[in-house]
Amino acid sequence: MSANSDCEIFSSRVLNYPVEKVYQAFANPSHLKNWWGPEGFTNTIHEFDLKPDGKWILTMHGPENGNYENSSVFQTVQPLQLITWTRVSQPLFDMEIGFEKYSHTKTKISFRMIFKTVSECEKIKKFAVPKNEENFDRLENELAKMNFY
């Protein structure tokens, strides 16, 4: 996956973990809540039904005591490969997370945020790119703590 339009934000990182472990860090809400979002955020996951048409509802708690309600509906769930969803809370966009196995110990994870208009994309792009990097940092920290057999 790579960005192919002015309406998309694309971020990726190669992680030194097997694809199965990286996928579990997302697919298991007990891990996902520990790393989702920028540095300093915590999460309360209210609903996480990882299947097409399943809901993902969470509250992201910001470091300055702000609470951000997020509601999405999963569209595609291809284990170890691709998860997509549509946000039904603001800001509205479609999200794709790709999991690409590079080797037994390396995985590329990618985020693609797809907006309806260039202006909507530009509003979010200013902070989403660096915040996605913080998200990947937090994912790496969670992966280092996870037991995986």
Side-chain angles (χ1 to χ4, degrees):
M1 281 192 328
S2 63
N4 60 13
S5 104
D6 292 336
C7 294
E8 297 181 4
I9 299 169
F10 181 82
S11 303
S12 68
R13 183 176 291 181
V14 176
L15 305 168
N16 292 314
Y17 294 95
V19 68
E20 295 85 0
K21 187 172 186 177
V22 175
Y23 182 80
Q24 275 307 307
F26 182 87
N28 182 334
S30 66
H31 293 296
L32 179 61
K33 69 180 177 65
N34 296 331
W35 67 269
W36 189 253
E39 187 61 42
F41 277 73
T42 59
N43 297 290
T44 302
I45 296 178
H46 306 287
E47 188 171 346
F48 187 81
D49 191 12
L50 186 59
K51 66 180 185 185
D53 295 322
K55 291 180 183 175
W56 181 16
I57 301 171
L58 76 150
T59 304
M60 297 177 74
H61 310 284
E64 289 86 34
N65 298 322
N67 292 315
Y68 306 92
E69 303 302 326
N70 289 259
S71 184
S72 300
V73 177
F74 290 109
Q75 303 299 319
T76 306
V77 179
Q78 297 172 346
L80 309 180
Q81 295 175 21
L82 180 67
I83 298 172
T84 70
W85 65 86
T86 297
R87 283 182 53 99
V88 294
S89 59
Q90 293 289 334
L92 300 176
F93 58 89
D94 291 336
M95 179 75 174
E96 299 177 354
I97 297 186
F99 303 87
E100 188 177 344
K101 180 178 182 174
Y102 272 21
S103 70
H104 292 299
T105 59
K106 286 195 186 299
T107 301
K108 180 180 178 182
I109 188 168
S110 54
F111 291 178
R112 183 193 314 249
M113 304 164 76
I114 306 161
F115 297 84
K116 291 197 185 318
T117 68
V118 172
S119 64
E120 290 171 358
C121 183
E122 289 301 320
K123 280 186 229 171
I124 303 294
K125 188 178 279 189
K126 293 174 235 165
F127 61 87
V129 172
K131 297 302 181 189
N132 284 346
E133 291 302 316
E134 291 178 15
N135 210 337
F136 291 144
D137 291 343
R138 294 182 71 199
L139 170 57
E140 285 189 298
N141 290 336
E142 182 65 15
L143 288 164
K145 295 178 207 168
M146 284 173 61
N147 290 327
F148 185 75
Y149 304 96

